[in-house]
């Protein structure tokens, strides 16, 4: 795996889409993936059921110089504690980018402002798991604050692996960008399976796409990236960033990099 980034003549890599969570939440997330068969129609065997220290060591051994501790709230009252966990991890592990999350709830603007004041440099929000529309009025001022701060937000709003028609899809993302065109947005999973639509959105300034799980055997089996879109993706090379979803992935990290 080391040769992958050396072959590209890179000093190492930055992985914008990695997850570190409180142990209790991590257990619940893993239980959710263990039951993914009935939800998405096929098993989702987690590759890295390691403790936190082992996961940190693995990232560093594979040439990762900087990584995130992405968390995401799926109900009110969670986001502040998750942000606190992620920021404490970055204080203890300097190569972990200070990370935060938020949710459409009372006090969300104050939570985002506090996280920024405490040094947060990347946020994560998961509309699919959280079951909310990115355009909810409660989030509007928070989006504006993040746009002004030029801090990136990794956003899972695409329909894979399970579409939620009220909350997922490019329209929700575009609606936020229309109100906040200067928002630095990172669309997770290249927007799978709405690849073409999210590639179009990435023509806008400050919109990026991350590679999380895309091109792996697991994704190509269910949500293949269309061959005819590859030239468009290549033309957006400066908007594409490395992501992996480590540790809750159904394949090796080496396979993700090679893919």
């Amino acid at each position: 795996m080391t040769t992958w980034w050396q072959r590209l003549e890179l000093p190492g890599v930055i992985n914008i889409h990695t997850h570190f969570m409180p142990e209790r939440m991590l257990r619940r997330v893993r239980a959710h993936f263990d039951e993914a068969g009935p939800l998405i129609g096929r098993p989702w065997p987690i590759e890295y059921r390691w403790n936190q220290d082992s996961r940190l060591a693995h990232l560093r051994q594979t040439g990762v110089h900087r990584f995130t501790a992405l968390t995401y709230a799926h109900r009110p009252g969670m986001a502040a504690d998750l942000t606190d966990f992620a920021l404490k991890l970055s204080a203890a592990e300097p190569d972990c980018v200070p990370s935060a999350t938020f949710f459409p709830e009372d006090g969300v603007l104050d939570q985002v402002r506090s996280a920024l004041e405490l040094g947060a440099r990347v946020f994560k929000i998961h509309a699919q798991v959280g079951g909310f529309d990115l355009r909810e009025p409660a989030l509007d001022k928070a989006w504006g604050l993040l746009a002004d701060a030029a801090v990136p937000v990794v956003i899972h709003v695409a329909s894979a692996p399970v579409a939620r028609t009220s909350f997922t899809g490019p329209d929700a993302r575009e609606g936020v960008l229309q109100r906040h065109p200067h928002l630095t947005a990172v669309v997770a999973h290249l927007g799978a399976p709405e690849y073409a639509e999210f590639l179009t959105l990435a023509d806008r300034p400050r919109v990026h796409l991350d590679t999380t799980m895309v091109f792996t055997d697991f994704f190509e089996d269910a949500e293949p990236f269309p061959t005819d879109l590859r030239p468009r993706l290549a033309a957006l090379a400066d908007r594409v960033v490395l992501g992996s979803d480590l540790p809750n992935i159904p394949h090796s990290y080496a396979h993700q990099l090679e893919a």
Side-chain angles (χ1 to χ4, degrees), residues 7 18 62 74 148 152 156 192 232:
R7 204 162 58 235
T18 56
T62 57
H74 64 270
D148 291 342
H156 190 138
R232 288 183 60 188

Side-chain angles (χ1 to χ4, degrees), residues 170 191 193-202 229 232:
E194 297 101 344
Y195 295 112
E197 293 89 341
F198 281 107
L199 281 171
T200 297
L201 282 180
L229 292 181
R232 288 183 60 188

Side-chain angles (χ1 to χ4, degrees), residues 87-218:
L87 292 177
K88 286 181 178 177
L89 179 63
S90 69
E93 310 290 344
D95 45 355
C96 178
V97 178
S99 310
T101 189
F102 57 104
F103 189 84
E105 60 183 324
D106 290 343
V108 60
L109 180 62
D110 289 338
Q111 289 181 21
V112 171
R113 182 182 290 111
S114 174
L116 288 170
E117 290 172 351
L118 291 170
R121 290 297 174 264
V122 63
F123 284 71
K124 170 67 184 289
I125 196 165
H126 205 312
Q128 183 187 65
V129 171
F132 58 86
D133 193 313
L134 300 178
R135 297 163 292 189
E136 287 194 21
L139 292 176
D140 191 60
K141 290 184 178 180
W143 290 126
L145 184 62
L146 290 165
D148 291 342
V151 169
V153 187
V154 179
I155 303 168
H156 190 138
V157 67
S159 299
V162 181
R164 301 188 68 179
T165 54
S166 298
F167 312 120
T168 58
D171 289 348
R173 172 69 279 171
E174 186 172 16
V176 172
L177 290 174
Q178 286 175 350
R179 289 188 58 81
H180 304 284
H182 299 297
L183 180 70
T184 305
V186 181
V187 177
H189 306 281
L190 289 187
E194 297 101 344
Y195 295 112
E197 293 89 341
F198 281 107
L199 281 171
T200 297
L201 282 180
D203 286 330
R204 296 170 180 245
R206 297 181 179 271
V207 178
H208 301 72
L209 306 165
D210 85 27
T211 64
T212 301
M213 295 185 67
V214 181
F215 302 115
T216 63
D217 293 343
F218 189 84

Side-chain angles (χ1 to χ4, degrees), residues 62-77:
T62 57
V64 177
H65 286 189
R66 298 280 277 171
F67 56 90
T68 56
L70 300 187
T71 61
Y72 45 88
H74 64 270
R75 56 178 171 75

